[in-house]
Amino acid sequence: MPSRAELLRELRLRVGDAAVLDAPPAELLTDQRGLYQGAVAAVVAPQSTAQVASLLAYCHEQRISVVPQGGNTGYCGGATPDASGSQLLLLLSGLKAIRAVDPDNYSLTAEAGCILATIKQAAAAAQRYFPLALGSEGSCQLGGNLSTNAGGLNVLRYGMTRDLVLGLEVVLADGRVLDTLRALRKDNTGYDIKSLFIGAEGTLGVITAATLKLLPQPLASATAFVAIPSPAQAVALLARLRAVSGERVASFELIPRIAIELTTRLIAGVADPLDDSSPWYLLVELTSSAADEQLNACLDQALEAAMNAGEISNASVAQNERQRSDFWRLRESIPAAQRRAGASLKHDVSLPITALPRFVAVASAWVAQHVPEGYLVAYGHVGDGNLHFNITASGAGEALLRRQAEIKRVIHDLVHEMHGSFSAEHGIGQLKLEELERYTDPVELELMRTLKQAFDPRGILNPGKVLRNAK
Ligand code: FAD
Ligand code: 2HG
Ligand code: ZN
């Protein structure tokens, strides 16, 4: 390891004085949930792929660990350096060009530091649609989305981030640049290497740009806020909606009563969409890229049939864009409301949708009986079988947080027994290392370690994230 003065001199030589931050703002050294606090040897904000390559070549030679950071909105501490003060924090925010938009090829190439909302706007300016939709889209970056394989609010229709990628540009641990920025939908030329970097959380390479798939813009939509007695009816309603509208079901979100209470109390401008109370709700959206499609009629038909079958107790169909955005505002405010309500334990789980009602019943009963320190706020992307099975502290929080390991173990063991995942969309970071070791097939884990060794033999790329540091 070079002295700090030597390190700073070398970094400045490679990226220029302005791109080396002497005194990093505190928020870069902690994660958005405030779970981890890191320290750094230096912070760099390169402006180009060539600069990233030059930095990594140097770090590789000097065996300096590098922690990539995008918008720092991740849930698992993946972008937070360790406490040693020896790591380099690599900010990607300077790589923010939209390099190309090809509307006729339905593709767009953007650099890793582009904010997700900016990419969506660039696609819309070309009358195209980039579907990835997250509550954090105003601050998360493309490189972070790719590195976490983010999910979000319309995976049901468009898939995870991985499904939206045609090519990547990646700087490898030793500074070589891998260029697979091919705007091709068909390209069976050997192993799909680019796919390995998606969801790798910066442990296999630093993503500097991506070529993304674009889609036709949705021109018609129908949105409803629906009251249901229990999650079992969510499964039934999804089947009904798919029967009448096929792939047009874009979003299918489960919301518990407590989330209505928290958002209406703690977030300005959120109102309860229905006039009577129900234990559970769904926010359902159909979309179509054919402007004249009668989606409201489709939605009404499914809701009426569900009402007649006793599956739903009430529903409000948005009559205009204002009402639609009010429904979405409520849903997207749940994480912020939960944060304002106090400390919480988060479990980002997924199961086959048919198993979700049983999971919710068993796990909720366990929480009610065994966790008097908190209350359940379970919501999420039920159409994908993904629930944020979160528990918020009733009091100051310490008592609940002290029981974190024990509670997590019970919930994740149950998910595992039911053939589900303990991390549906938020990744592993430094938060879920133990879970990965406990629940992952040993052969799969061994292959992960083999890949890490092959891509990063000196272990400089985001060490201690996803996989524990090799002894
Ligand atoms: P960061 O947090 O900066 O980094 C995440 C990981 O990627 C880290 O390991 C980091 O080292 C690595 N990384 C970042 N950039 C690069 C790069 N260029 N190359 C290599 N590695 C890199 N997530 C969902 O999946 N679905 C949701 O619905 C959702 N909703 C959210 C709502 C809110 C209000 C918030 C705060 C977060 C939400 N998230 C959601 C989580 C988060 O926004 C996503 O995980 C997002 O993809 C992270 O992007 P980022 O740029 O903030 O990445
Ligand atoms: C969401 O779906 C995000 O809103 C955040 O994935 C989930 O805060 C959470 O637990
Ligand atoms: Zn989510």
Side-chain angles (χ1 to χ4, degrees), residues 75 331 335 338 346 379 381 388 390 425-426:
Y75 267 88
R331 164 60 184 93
Q338 216 200 343
K346 293 189 178 261
Y379 63 97
H381 322 289
H388 300 302
N390 299 341
E425 60 171 9
H426 293 160

Side-chain angles (χ1 to χ4, degrees), residues 47-48 89 157 161 193 204 206 214 283 399 433 440 466 469:
Q47 307 293 307
S48 67
L89 186 64
R157 173 140 186 200
T161 303
I193 298 293
L204 299 181
V206 176
L214 300 181
L283 173 50
L433 298 175
T440 307
V466 183
N469 287 330

Side-chain angles (χ1 to χ4, degrees), residues 219-286:
L219 297 176
S221 70
T223 311
F225 209 87
V226 182
I228 52 172
S230 81
Q233 287 78 41
V235 181
L237 184 63
L238 181 58
R240 264 185 207 288
L241 280 169
R242 284 182 144 167
V244 294
S245 68
E247 74 290 348
R248 291 171 191 76
V249 190
S251 300
F252 199 79
E253 298 285 315
L254 184 70
I255 297 170
R257 178 69 210 166
I258 184 71
I260 310 266
E261 280 158 20
L262 292 176
T263 50
T264 53
R265 182 159 60 84
L266 299 171
I267 308 290
V270 174
D272 187 342
L274 296 171
D275 42 23
D276 48 358
S277 165
S278 165
W280 295 92
Y281 301 85
L282 292 165
L283 173 50
V284 176
E285 187 158 276
L286 310 184

Side-chain angles (χ1 to χ4, degrees), residues 66-385:
V66 177
V67 179
Q69 188 177 98
N72 201 17
T73 66
Y75 267 88
C76 300
T80 309
D82 69 17
S84 67
S86 65
Q87 301 190 312
L88 185 70
L89 186 64
L90 179 68
L91 306 181
L92 276 302
S93 48
L95 277 75
K96 50 176 184 280
I98 303 276
R99 290 190 191 166
V101 184
D102 184 347
D104 292 339
N105 192 50
Y106 283 77
S107 62
L108 175 155
T109 299
E111 293 186 344
C114 287
I115 301 286
L116 174 55
T118 309
I119 294 174
K120 292 171 77 78
Q121 282 155 14
Q127 276 75 54
R128 297 292 178 264
Y129 183 53
F130 184 61
L132 185 63
L134 311 178
S136 53
E137 64 192 43
S139 52
C140 63
Q141 297 175 10
L142 176 61
N145 302 147
L146 293 159
S147 301
T148 55
N149 187 27
L153 301 163
N154 54 23
V155 170
L156 184 60
R157 173 140 186 200
Y158 299 105
M160 303 280 279
T161 303
R162 180 188 305 286
D163 301 304
L164 303 171
V165 178
L166 296 173
L168 288 185
E169 179 186 84
V170 183
V171 179
L172 303 182
D174 60 6
R176 281 177 298 159
V177 178
L178 167 72
D179 182 350
T180 73
L181 290 176
R182 296 185 286 269
L184 305 174
R185 275 158 182 86
K186 301 185 96 171
D187 184 21
N188 278 348
T189 47
Y191 303 134
D192 186 9
I193 298 293
K194 73 171 182 310
S195 198
L196 295 170
F197 299 98
I198 302 172
E201 302 181 50
T203 62
L204 299 181
V206 176
I207 299 173
T208 46
T211 298
L212 304 170
K213 285 183 200 167
L214 300 181
L215 288 113
Q217 283 187 299
L219 297 176
S221 70
T223 311
F225 209 87
V226 182
I228 52 172
S230 81
Q233 287 78 41
V235 181
L237 184 63
L238 181 58
R240 264 185 207 288
L241 280 169
R242 284 182 144 167
V244 294
S245 68
E247 74 290 348
R248 291 171 191 76
V249 190
S251 300
F252 199 79
E253 298 285 315
L254 184 70
I255 297 170
R257 178 69 210 166
I258 184 71
I260 310 266
E261 280 158 20
L262 292 176
T263 50
T264 53
R265 182 159 60 84
L266 299 171
I267 308 290
V270 174
D272 187 342
L274 296 171
D275 42 23
D276 48 358
S277 165
S278 165
W280 295 92
Y281 301 85
L282 292 165
L283 173 50
V284 176
E285 187 158 276
L286 310 184
T287 60
S288 167
S289 44
D292 56 354
E293 197 140 9
Q294 299 305 309
L295 293 180
N296 271 328
C298 245
L299 185 55
D300 286 344
Q301 187 193 332
L303 293 177
E304 198 183 320
M307 187 78 83
N308 292 338
E311 289 164 5
I312 68 174
S313 57
N314 198 356
S316 168
V317 176
Q319 298 304 312
N320 49 45
E321 185 50 36
R322 172 75 202 274
Q323 238 181 344
R324 172 179 178 262
S325 73
D326 284 349
F327 292 170
W328 276 111
R329 182 170 163 71
L330 187 159
R331 164 60 184 93
E332 292 185 32
S333 302
I334 301 174
Q338 216 200 343
R339 182 193 292 249
R340 285 181 200 174
S344 59
L345 305 182
K346 293 189 178 261
H347 309 95
D348 167 34
V349 306
S350 67
L351 288 144
I353 185 171
T354 38
L356 261 186
R358 191 169 85 77
F359 168 77
V360 174
V362 175
S364 308
W366 184 84
V367 172
Q369 195 179 347
H370 297 278
V371 190
E373 301 87 347
Y375 56 92
L376 196 61
V377 186
Y379 63 97
H381 322 289
V382 67
D384 313 320

